[in-house]
């Protein structure tokens, strides 16, 4: 099942992508349904009598979840990316949080901030895992049963601010820099733990990142187990699983995004997330 969140009549709505159409399920958000513990497949089937379809080409998409309980990001989860960074490969997952106000949807502008000392905005194509059933101290063997599904993420990073301090929080949380969507594909439609999927990022049509999820150092099950040792995971939490090599900051000369650029992240079997870059002052 491919769930999409979008704006309809000025309100958030939820739908299921079926072929080249989206079947409207209603105005209850995915966050609300997950918080209530609703079986989404049964819910989608029960809403089928409405038989209301819309053309996705005309939709104003929203992130699959606009205000998830937590957004937990994983840094340095591909060895080739760590090698191009100023860090040594850690022996424990590098975790940091994103905030909901940083999120944008498919086909919404990704915002290059107007801070005076920012050279630009960098791309990081990633895959986001969405938790369907929460818990604490989740065993690795059971971890994948806690995943509702997966989506595409672009962890837009303002590098100067990321490196101003040992903590990366500010550089990873400028408003309008975390692109997310468009589809949330349920885990039953994908290889377990998203093993063996190709991830590719393109800037203005040029491939700048390309990798297999097999290259992740900490796989999805490990991440869930490790995170839940310390933090109670809740339904609707998002885990952004890391980016491979090829970031613009590590290139010579640097390849940073500017207004008018188009950044696309494609993940095999999940879909393509597309955003045009816009300067904050122009918004």
């Amino acid at each position: 099942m491919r769930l999409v969140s979008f704006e309809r009549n000025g309100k958030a709505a939820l739908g299921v992508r079926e072929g080249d159409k989206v079947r409207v399920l209603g105005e209850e958000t995915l966050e609300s349904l997950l918080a209530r513990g609703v079986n989404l497949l049964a819910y989608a089937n029960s809403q089928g009598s409405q038989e209301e379809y819309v053309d996705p080409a005309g939709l104003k998409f929203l992130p699959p979840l606009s205000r998830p309980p937590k957004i937990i990001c994983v840094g340095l989860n591909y060895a080739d990316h760590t090698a191009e960074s100023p860090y040594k490969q850690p022996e424990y997952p590098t975790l940091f949080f994103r905030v909901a106000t940083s999120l944008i949807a498919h086909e919404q502008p990704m915002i290059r901030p107007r801070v005076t000392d920012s050279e630009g905005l960098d791309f990081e194509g990633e895959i986001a895992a969405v938790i369907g059933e929460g818990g604490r101290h989740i065993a690795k063997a059971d971890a994948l049963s806690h995943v509702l599904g997966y989506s595409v993420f672009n962890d837009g990073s303002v590098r100067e601010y990321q490196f101003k301090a040992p903590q990366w929080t500010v550089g990873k949380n400028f408003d309008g820099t975390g692109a997310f969507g468009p589809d949330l594909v349920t885990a039953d439609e994908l290889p377990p733990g998203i093993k063996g999927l190709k991830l590719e990022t393109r800037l203005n049509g040029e491939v700048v990142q390309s990798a297999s999820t097999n290259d992740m150092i900490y796989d999805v099950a490990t991440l869930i187990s490790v995170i839940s040792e310390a933090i109670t995971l809740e339904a609707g939490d998002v885990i952004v699983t890391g980016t491979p090599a090829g970031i613009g900051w590590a290139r010579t000369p640097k390849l940073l995004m500017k207004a008018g650029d188009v950044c696309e992240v494609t993940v095999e079997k999940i879909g393509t997330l597309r955003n045009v870059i816009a300067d904050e002052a122009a918004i």
Side-chain angles (χ1 to χ4, degrees):
M1 184 165 59
R2 306 179 74 94
L3 295 161
V4 293
S5 298
F6 56 97
E7 187 176 300
R8 180 170 176 262
N9 300 325
K11 297 181 179 179
L14 183 65
V16 175
R17 194 185 294 270
E18 296 179 350
D20 60 355
K21 297 288 185 181
V22 170
R23 180 162 57 87
V24 179
L25 298 181
E27 293 181 353
E28 186 166 7
T29 64
L30 185 55
E31 291 99 313
S32 174
L33 291 168
L34 289 173
R36 293 199 296 114
V38 171
N39 181 303
L40 291 174
L41 181 59
Y43 176 79
N45 290 336
S46 72
Q47 301 298 103
S49 60
Q50 297 180 18
E51 293 298 329
E52 183 179 1
Y53 289 83
V54 293
D55 184 349
L59 291 182
K60 180 181 179 182
F61 285 95
L62 299 173
L65 300 104
S66 293
R67 290 198 168 270
K70 293 184 284 295
I71 308 165
I72 304 170
C73 299
V74 185
L76 308 178
N77 201 24
Y78 288 76
D80 58 358
H81 173 54
T82 304
E84 69 179 359
S85 78
Y87 303 102
K88 293 182 179 179
Q89 187 65 57
E91 296 181 0
Y92 184 88
T94 301
L95 305 176
F96 59 94
F97 287 93
R98 258 196 183 267
V99 296
T101 52
S102 73
L103 296 181
I104 56 170
H106 173 66
E107 294 289 8
Q108 288 185 343
M110 178 178 276
I111 306 303
R112 179 181 178 274
R114 62 188 179 201
V115 288
T116 56
D117 58 346
S118 176
E119 294 179 5
L121 179 66
D122 208 349
F123 49 82
E124 288 195 7
E126 311 201 19
I127 301 174
V130 176
I131 299 297
E133 178 185 351
R136 178 89 192 279
H137 296 299
I138 299 169
K140 183 178 177 179
D142 301 326
L144 294 182
S145 68
H146 290 256
V147 179
L148 167 65
Y150 299 89
S151 190
V152 186
F153 205 93
N154 190 346
D155 184 33
S157 304
V158 183
R159 297 296 185 194
E160 299 94 330
Y161 278 76
Q162 179 183 350
F163 300 135
K164 278 181 180 289
Q167 295 289 339
W168 299 351
T169 303
V170 174
K172 294 286 191 173
N173 278 286
F174 274 78
D175 285 356
T177 59
F180 184 22
D183 294 8
L184 174 63
V185 182
T186 52
D188 60 293
E189 294 199 5
L190 298 168
I194 54 168
K195 287 288 189 180
L197 297 185
K198 182 179 180 180
L199 184 159
E200 184 176 275
T201 304
R202 296 179 299 280
L203 185 62
N204 299 323
E206 178 185 351
V207 175
V208 289
Q209 292 182 294
S210 184
S212 167
T213 54
N214 287 341
D215 297 333
M216 287 196 296
I217 295 168
Y218 302 103
D219 62 17
V220 175
T222 299
L223 291 171
I224 290 170
S225 181
V226 169
I227 292 168
S228 69
E229 288 176 348
I231 301 168
T232 298
L233 290 172
E234 302 169 276
D237 282 350
V238 177
I239 300 174
V240 185
T241 58
T243 199
I247 62 166
W249 186 263
R251 295 167 180 258
T252 304
K254 292 181 174 62
L255 179 64
L256 298 170
M257 298 187 292
K258 59 186 183 301
D261 285 349
V262 177
C263 193
E264 298 169 295
V265 182
T266 298
V267 179
E268 181 183 2
K269 300 182 185 295
I270 299 178
T272 296
L273 169 67
R274 181 183 185 274
N275 300 93
V276 178
I277 314 307
D279 283 339
E280 183 178 10
I283 298 299

